[in-house]
Amino acid sequence: MSQKYAIGVDYGTQSGRAVLVDLSNGHEIADHVTPYPHGVIDEILPTSGQALENDWALQHPDDYLEVLRRSIPAVLKQSGIDPSDVIGLGIDFTACTMLPVDEQGVPLCFKPEWKDNPHGWVKLWKHHAAQDEADRLNAIAAERGEKFLPRYGGKISSEWMIAKVWQIVNEAPEVYEATDLFTEATDWVISQLTGNFVRNSCTAGYKSIWHKQDGYPSKEFFKALDPRLENLTETKLRGEIMPLGTKSGELTEAMAKLTGLNAGTAIAVGNVDAHAAVPAVGVVTPGKLVMAMGTSICHMLLGEKEVEVEGMCGVVEDGIIPGYLGYEAGQSAVGDIFEWFVEEAVPAYVKEAADKDGVGVHQWLTERAEAYKPGETGLLALDWWNGNRSVLVDTNLTGVIVGYSLLTKPEEVYRTLLEATAFGTRKIIDAFHNNGVPVDEVYACGGLPQRNRLLMQIYADVTNREIKIADSKQTPAIGAAMFGAVAAGSAKGGYDSVVDAAKAMARVREETFKPIPANVAVYEKLYQEYSTLHDYFGRGANDVMKRLKSLKDDASH
């Protein structure tokens, strides 16, 4: 039998990429990135020029199809591989990224009557304008003693499906009425590829409060939120929910023409970007935490029993690897914080010096930050530049740096921000480990671990755990391709389970980052100080951040 391949398509926040993968060893044969033509729509609606309010983040669904039109033909061309040897395709997506569609599956924003209504568009994962709805949902769920709440660390996020749908009900009831289905973008793209609509267990579980044993919350709960939502789950959230690795259908003739693949190619159900990365680093058993590190971090872990962990984003049966409970937590800004510092807070002399040395500002700061020992900067920061996702689950928290003096240098601040994000990860690891979900090993994938050795050494020292690094730069796409291979099955040259696929295809680097005992000791002291500040500002002793935010909102209206 000739060599077989699968394609993984990874949909990020700014772009989508396709990777063609050799199924015998997981090697990437070709990859191609398509930047989204409309990017993130967070200021004005492209059709009408209407200004969007604060905390809005939309996207254009055609940008997702553009990735299929451009990147799939590009990897086929680069590799010269016969399309008949590509046996499966899987995709992963940022989530919860949701959109309303009509009976034909057409996004409302494609239709003349809805194109100028912002609620007819894709709401990206980082659309935070449904915070009021999330707050009310959490209060009502807590009051009613809803048993789903502890599975999500006690709070449902404004980023997730139900809060976003409720915002539409409140602000654009006509859009709600016109919507046949609210769908995750990952499920919508799969429906475009196959012509049939199914939901995946990963986004349904983590983002839509669905549970494999119990289903969605009761109609009574939805009615208590808003009588208009009473029948939501059996009407606008209806659809078969399938576990990861399941074949959702086959590529249609129309999509075969568009992509250059053969009609009938197996298409896996959709997945979430970070979750797809887990098998791609070879993690298919409990005790191993995988960090998908980029603009933010998603922390994923497998468990054998369902337990409550403060601030986790969810625990879902079959949510990451079939047969296990998948736990998720996260930090809502990591790379974004370092980027903010470089773009908004670095003095001109640093940019000039970096230019003169022929390096980027990040590299210039990192090289100088490496010269400091733990504790030597005299600084400490809280990593809440974009709120706190875990363990406090509060988007209204903001960043803090303590210990500035007239001698403080930009590279010291930069190092402190790196350390702050490591302390945030340690907080998450401790929450799992101390609540009966062991964390014995740590794996990292994404753009940051491969670019910044200092950052990874700090994480090893702060968490006091060895960190293994993914070998691929495209880890989620490799994972998506694995699920595509599982959708095809071994009879076609693929695999019958993602565990089998991971054995052959997963790759991590030989070099790891090991904790340095002297550093661990100092970081332990700093972490205790971090924890004191974390609880003081994050658990209600001092709500100054929220008071400042409210003054800011008053002043800007």
Side-chain angles (χ1 to χ4, degrees):
M1 189 188 269
S2 62
Q3 184 51 52
K4 298 301 179 195
Y5 304 88
I7 289 177
V9 184
D10 171 38
Y11 284 96
T13 300
Q14 304 284 355
S15 61
R17 68 182 66 240
V19 179
L20 181 78
V21 184
D22 182 331
L23 294 187
S24 66
N25 55 19
H27 285 151
E28 297 140 54
I29 307 300
D31 71 280
H32 182 271
V33 178
T34 299
Y36 299 145
H38 299 88
V40 176
I41 302 165
D42 53 10
E43 290 178 7
I44 59 170
L45 210 55
T47 48
S48 62
Q50 174 189 338
L52 297 172
E53 290 181 35
N54 283 346
D55 292 330
W56 275 67
L58 306 179
Q59 285 195 317
H60 196 311
D62 191 61
D63 291 358
Y64 307 146
L65 302 180
E66 184 67 10
V67 176
L68 304 176
R69 287 192 284 263
R70 286 175 57 188
S71 287
I72 293 179
V75 294
L76 289 171
K77 189 175 172 193
Q78 265 177 50
S79 63
I81 279 163
D82 185 330
S84 62
D85 288 327
V86 179
I87 60 164
L89 180 143
I91 74 169
D92 68 75
F93 230 102
T94 64
C96 166
T97 293
M98 59 83 85
L99 66 157
V101 300
D102 71 6
E103 288 83 352
Q104 279 70 52
V106 175
L108 294 198
C109 63
F110 284 0
K111 304 177 77 161
E113 64 269 39
W114 301 115
K115 69 180 172 55
D116 295 336
N117 188 319
H119 284 291
W121 291 67
V122 171
K123 286 184 170 66
L124 183 58
W125 67 271
K126 63 177 181 177
H127 174 90
H128 286 156
Q131 189 59 49
D132 288 350
E133 283 77 9
D135 292 343
R136 295 217 302 285
L137 187 156
N138 288 322
I140 291 166
E143 217 170 88
R144 291 171 52 88
E146 291 287 345
K147 71 173 188 177
F148 67 75
L149 209 52
R151 284 185 201 127
Y152 298 95
K155 281 187 184 172
I156 302 298
S157 166
S158 65
E159 293 181 1
W160 299 349
M161 180 69 82
I162 307 303
K164 284 172 169 166
V165 169
W166 196 7
Q167 188 197 4
I168 294 173
V169 170
N170 285 331
E171 296 178 16
E174 65 287 1
V175 170
Y176 182 78
E177 286 308 315
T179 299
D180 182 55
L181 289 173
F182 290 104
T183 164
E184 283 278 355
T186 192
D187 295 332
W188 180 75
V189 170
I190 292 295
S191 74
Q192 299 305 292
L193 289 164
T194 62
N196 61 337
F197 177 75
V198 297
R199 297 183 188 272
N200 72 85
S201 62
C202 184
T203 51
Y206 289 104
K207 312 298 179 185
S208 295
I209 326 183
W210 173 81
H211 187 262
K212 189 174 175 181
Q213 314 301 332
D214 304 344
Y216 289 108
S218 67
K219 286 169 71 154
E220 292 73 29
F221 169 70
F222 282 103
K223 189 178 179 181
L225 295 184
D226 189 313
R228 295 170 293 182
L229 291 172
E230 182 178 0
N231 298 313
L232 173 67
T233 60
E234 59 210 43
T235 56
K236 298 174 196 289
L237 286 183
R238 71 185 191 281
E240 188 182 356
I241 296 169
M242 300 172 82
L244 300 178
T246 312
K247 179 173 159 181
S248 69
E250 296 181 348
L251 196 67
T252 63
E253 291 285 354
M255 275 299 188
K257 284 195 182 73
L258 185 97
T259 58
L261 291 170
N262 286 2
T265 302
I267 309 293
V269 300
N271 202 346
V272 175
D273 50 358
H275 298 65
V278 174
V281 293
V283 170
V284 290
T285 52
K288 301 165 184 179
L289 181 103
V290 179
M291 304 188 289
M293 302 179 73
T295 54
S296 58
I297 297 185
C298 195
H299 305 75
M300 287 141 310
L301 188 59
L302 302 176
E304 296 184 289
K305 58 185 194 292
E306 190 176 292
V307 297
E308 293 174 19
V309 178
E310 185 193 19
M312 65 183 176
C313 302
V315 51
V316 176
E317 191 175 345
D318 302 337
I320 299 174
I321 300 290
Y324 291 105
L325 289 138
Y327 286 87
E328 181 195 340
Q331 286 164 276
S332 39
V334 178
D336 269 355
I337 302 179
F338 316 146
E339 189 68 20
W340 162 83
F341 184 66
V342 165
E343 296 294 327
E344 305 293 343
V346 166
Y349 82 81
V350 170
K351 292 193 165 81
E352 286 158 16
D355 283 346
K356 197 173 157 199
D357 291 354
V359 297
V361 175
H362 285 284
Q363 190 181 332
W364 191 94
L365 288 166
T366 301
E367 284 168 4
R368 278 148 191 81
E370 273 174 326
Y372 290 83
K373 295 200 285 282
E376 198 181 344
T377 64
L379 300 172
L380 179 64
L382 291 177
D383 50 318
W384 301 340
W385 263 248
N386 193 26
N388 178 289
R389 188 180 291 165
S390 298
V391 297
L392 300 168
V393 198
D394 192 339
T395 58
N396 290 316
L397 295 173
T398 50
V400 170
I401 301 184
V402 177
Y404 274 121
S405 79
L406 293 176
L407 297 175
T408 299
K409 300 265 193 303
E411 55 267 36
E412 295 179 292
V413 179
Y414 190 73
R415 182 179 177 111
T416 301
L417 295 173
L418 302 183
E419 291 170 343
T421 67
F423 293 139
T425 282
R426 162 85 186 267
K427 192 57 76 184
I428 288 165
I429 289 176
D430 286 357
F432 280 125
H433 202 74
N434 299 336
N435 281 287
V437 188
V439 180
D440 305 318
E441 294 179 29
V442 179
Y443 291 72
C445 63
L448 284 175
Q450 299 184 346
R451 283 199 303 271
N452 196 319
R453 298 177 59 83
L454 172 63
L455 180 72
M456 297 323 297
Q457 187 59 52
I458 288 171
Y459 271 64
D461 293 338
V462 167
T463 62
N464 197 17
R465 283 168 172 82
E466 182 179 5
I467 299 179
K468 298 175 181 177
I469 309 293
D471 192 38
S472 169
K473 287 189 171 65
Q474 330 283 6
T475 314
I478 302 282
M482 284 184 180
F483 283 110
V486 174
S490 61
K492 292 264 173 68
Y495 295 97
D496 290 330
S497 76
V498 77
V499 176
D500 293 345
K503 275 183 196 141
M505 296 170 68
R507 298 200 327 276
V508 290
R509 294 184 171 182
E510 277 183 32
E511 183 197 23
T512 64
F513 291 87
K514 295 184 174 70
I516 298 164
N519 293 355
V520 171
V522 180
Y523 278 132
E524 186 57 41
K525 291 179 187 158
L526 281 168
Y527 178 66
Q528 298 310 323
E529 299 296 345
Y530 171 91
S531 295
T532 303
L533 285 179
H534 174 280
D535 292 354
Y536 178 66
F537 286 113
R539 299 198 189 275
N542 188 339
D543 279 336
V544 60
M545 295 169 179
K546 293 174 186 183
R547 293 193 294 275
L548 291 173
K549 215 165 183 188
S550 133
L551 285 167
K552 177 185 172 180
D553 289 346
D554 293 348
S556 58
H557 279 127

